[in-house]
């Protein structure tokens, strides 16, 4: 009996183009798969927004991808993964892979003593999603977490090995460097580009876990398990990729940044037309008390 296959594309989304680090890994691990990518550049960053807002954005973007007939969703954005996975899985009847569980699993495997650190955006660290996932795998593990909000703009500026970035990293990582960690989860799409710098600061005994790469690996495993890999060899056709953005900001530097994430020039991009009913035209605006608690 021939193996089951599914030629439909893999849907990937992120708050912007940082998720291209995960796409790069998908290209590497699954070269025959077509990828349909959505970067919500009009609403970036997600990392300093509330969980409710991030979840709403994630549901909207996923609706778009589902309408494009994707076979699964990869939430490359750690912030969206840490807040919206449950809502996405409850609403959509297709597999949703996030950036939390696969990285938690890899960190546990690399840390026999359970000494694990996590860095991410304010929203990701504030959600506690990584420590919770790790606790489910290895109950009682004390995970040391640190939000590093300045890393995202520094990476977008291309300051990957700049003195300023090193100073910022030294400041953020003080506690983590003194904690004899075995592994550190890079829980944000942008951080893999800082891996050489972070690796030097943390030292060779700390394994850096790339959350996007782990999500790509989990996707490959899931598709193989479900008989949903793209047909290969003669039965297959060349992979076709489509990139959608909700805005194309700072046109000149955009291509350079995108290329640094993807590892190759970004092909043609479609900027979507946003015709959503504006919030100020909706009948009820429900007041909400802001949660002013500051995550570490
Ligand atoms: N993509 C986000 C993440 O992985 C980082 C950028 C943002 O704050 O939107 O958490």
């Amino acid at each position: 009996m021939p193996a089951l296959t599914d030629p439909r594309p893999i849907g990937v989304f992120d708050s912007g183009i940082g998720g291209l680090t995960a796409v790069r890994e998908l290209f590497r691990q699954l070269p025959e798969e077509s990828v349909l990518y959505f970067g919500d550049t009009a609403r970036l960053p997600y990392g300093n927004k509330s969980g409710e807002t991030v979840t709403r954005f994630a549901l909207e973007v996923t609706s778009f991808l589902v309408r494009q007939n994707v076979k699964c969703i990869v939430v490359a954005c750690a912030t969206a993964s840490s807040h919206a996975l449950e809502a996405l899985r409850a609403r959509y009847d297709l597999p949703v892979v996030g950036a939390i569980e696969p990285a938690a699993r890899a960190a546990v495997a690399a840390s026999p003593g359970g000494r694990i650190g996590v860095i991410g955006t304010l929203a990701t660290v504030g959600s506690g999603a990584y420590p919770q996932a790790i606790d489910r795998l290895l109950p009682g593990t004390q995970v040391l977490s640190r939000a590093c909000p300045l890393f995202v703009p520094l990476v977008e500026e291309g300051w990957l090995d700049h003195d300023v970035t090193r100073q910022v990293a030294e400041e953020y990582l003080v506690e983590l460097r003194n904690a004899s960690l075995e592994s550190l989860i890079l829980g944000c799409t942008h951080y893999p580009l800082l891996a050489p710098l972070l690796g030097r600061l943390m030292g060779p005994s700390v394994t850096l876990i790339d959350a996007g790469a782990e999500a790509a690996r989990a996707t490959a495993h899931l598709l193989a398990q479900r008989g949903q890999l793209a047909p290969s060899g003669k039965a297959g056709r060349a992979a076709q990729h489509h990139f959608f953005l909700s805005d194309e900001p700072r046109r000149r530097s955009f291509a350079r940044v995108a290329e640094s994430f993807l590892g190759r020039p970004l092909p043609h991009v479609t900027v979507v037309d946003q015709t959503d009913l504006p919030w100020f035209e909706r009948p009820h605006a429900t007041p909400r008390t802001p949660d002013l608690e500051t995550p570490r």
Side-chain angles (χ1 to χ4, degrees):
M1 212 172 91
L4 293 174
T5 58
D6 186 340
R8 292 178 299 162
I10 297 172
V12 183
F13 81 87
D14 178 45
S15 55
I17 53 171
L20 295 175
T21 53
V23 173
R24 181 185 196 150
E25 272 302 311
L26 278 173
F27 284 174
R28 206 177 59 78
Q29 293 181 35
L30 296 169
E32 276 156 352
E33 297 291 335
S34 298
V35 169
L36 204 146
Y37 181 86
F38 188 94
D40 199 4
T41 36
R43 302 191 285 197
L44 174 98
Y46 283 9
N48 53 13
K49 295 192 168 68
S50 70
E52 288 85 347
T53 296
V54 170
T55 302
R56 179 162 60 82
F57 291 170
L59 286 166
E60 289 173 8
V61 171
T62 303
S63 294
F64 172 80
L65 291 174
V66 168
R67 279 172 212 199
Q68 309 298 315
N69 197 25
V70 296
K71 59 184 165 189
C72 67
I73 302 284
V74 179
V75 187
C77 180
T79 304
S81 298
S82 53
H83 287 281
L85 276 188
E86 239 175 81
L88 296 176
R89 286 180 176 148
R91 181 161 317 171
Y92 300 102
D93 193 20
L94 81 178
V96 178
V97 179
I100 307 296
E101 288 139 9
R105 220 168 270 287
V108 167
S111 316
R115 293 190 303 278
I116 301 172
V118 177
I119 52 175
T121 64
L122 283 164
T124 296
V125 170
S127 75
Y130 279 110
Q132 284 158 24
I134 291 163
D135 191 65
R136 281 194 292 275
L137 296 165
L138 204 64
T141 310
Q142 291 297 316
V143 178
L144 196 55
S145 308
R146 182 71 161 103
C148 304
L150 292 174
F151 281 170
V152 166
L154 287 168
V155 169
E156 298 214 345
E157 197 57 40
W159 289 9
L160 306 183
D161 202 14
H162 193 287
D163 276 352
V164 169
T165 313
R166 193 178 36 75
Q167 277 174 33
V168 170
E170 279 173 355
E171 184 74 32
Y172 280 148
L173 302 183
V174 171
E175 224 185 315
L176 293 158
R177 290 171 78 191
N178 289 327
S180 309
L181 295 179
E182 294 160 289
S183 66
L184 177 67
I185 297 178
L186 309 184
C188 174
T189 47
H190 289 55
Y191 299 177
L193 275 77
L194 295 176
L197 178 89
L198 299 175
R200 276 200 304 279
L201 288 176
M202 295 305 298
S205 57
V206 181
T207 307
L208 301 182
I209 310 287
D210 175 344
E214 295 304 329
R217 205 159 294 143
T219 306
H221 184 70
L222 178 104
L223 292 178
Q225 240 184 1
R226 293 171 58 97
Q228 281 194 292
L229 286 167
S232 59
K234 275 197 199 128
R237 56 188 169 90
Q240 289 180 346
H241 311 301
H242 293 278
F243 296 88
F244 294 90
L245 299 178
S246 49
D247 189 18
E248 193 178 354
R250 298 193 305 148
R251 282 178 177 271
R252 262 178 349 119
S253 63
F254 178 77
R256 175 185 54 76
V257 179
E259 187 171 339
S260 68
F261 287 120
L262 191 59
R264 58 165 112 157
L266 189 62
H268 178 73
V269 166
T270 306
V271 180
V272 297
D273 183 15
Q274 298 188 68
T275 50
D276 188 22
L277 180 65
W279 60 268
F280 49 84
E281 286 182 13
R282 290 178 196 150
H284 308 291
T286 319
R288 192 162 62 82
T289 315
D291 173 9
L292 295 177
E293 198 185 319
T294 320
R296 284 219 50 217

